[in-house]
Amino acid sequence: MPTASLAAASDAMQQLNQQLNHLQRSIRQAIEAYLHSMVGQSFGTVAENQQFVRSVQALLESHGLRVRCPECGHPAILRCSRSRGSVGGVFVFDHYIQGRRTFHGGGSTLPKVSVIAKPARRSASAAS
């Protein structure tokens, strides 16, 4: 049975990690470019805007990503909420700050967003 070199395996792992980081960066940039092309858009109704942000969230989730809240910089989920002043609802950034659920934003059109890595899950003790 041949003996493997730990140094060679470590070097190969490092090269693989660099390749994967490059691919992840390309994915992040492609999603961000698409979202930037949609800035200022609204689909007319709350239901349609919610359907759009759900599809965005599913895409982000499948790649371990979130959007960055432009107000505070925290990783967030983009949502569309009903609002009396807007037929199409308002786009908000849903996230936790110091254990409390927070919503920032509130514009009636899709805001410019940055795409970032999804944070580690909060522990049960941090959630309470």
Side-chain angles (χ1 to χ4, degrees):
M1 190 170 216
T3 303
S5 160
L6 180 57
S10 293
D11 288 345
M13 180 70 77
Q14 184 176 7
Q15 288 177 350
L16 175 61
N17 194 38
Q18 287 175 346
Q19 281 181 294
L20 294 175
N21 285 338
H22 177 73
L23 291 171
Q24 289 170 333
R25 183 172 181 246
S26 295
I27 290 168
R28 209 171 40 249
Q29 289 174 332
I31 294 170
E32 191 170 271
Y34 168 73
L35 292 174
H36 286 181
S37 76
M38 301 301 291
V39 170
Q41 302 294 313
S42 174
F43 299 97
T45 68
V46 173
E48 289 176 312
N49 284 333
Q50 287 174 336
Q51 183 177 348
F52 176 75
V53 295
R54 277 193 301 271
S55 67
V56 167
Q57 185 55 37
L59 178 63
L60 293 170
E61 185 69 32
S62 72
H63 294 287
L65 301 169
R66 289 285 189 262
V67 294
R68 179 188 308 269
C69 176
E71 188 170 325
C72 67
H74 284 81
I77 295 172
L78 184 64
R79 299 200 189 276
C80 183
S81 301
R82 295 187 183 282
S83 173
R84 287 186 185 172
S86 176
V87 173
V90 292
F91 292 92
V92 296
F93 295 86
D94 178 0
H95 52 300
Y96 285 84
I97 299 175
Q98 297 176 342
R100 300 185 75 159
R101 192 170 182 190
T102 305
F103 296 89
H104 286 142
S108 61
T109 61
L110 191 66
K112 185 173 182 177
V113 297
S114 298
V115 176
I116 59 176
K118 181 179 175 180
R121 290 185 62 104
R122 296 179 306 129
S123 67
S125 61
S128 50

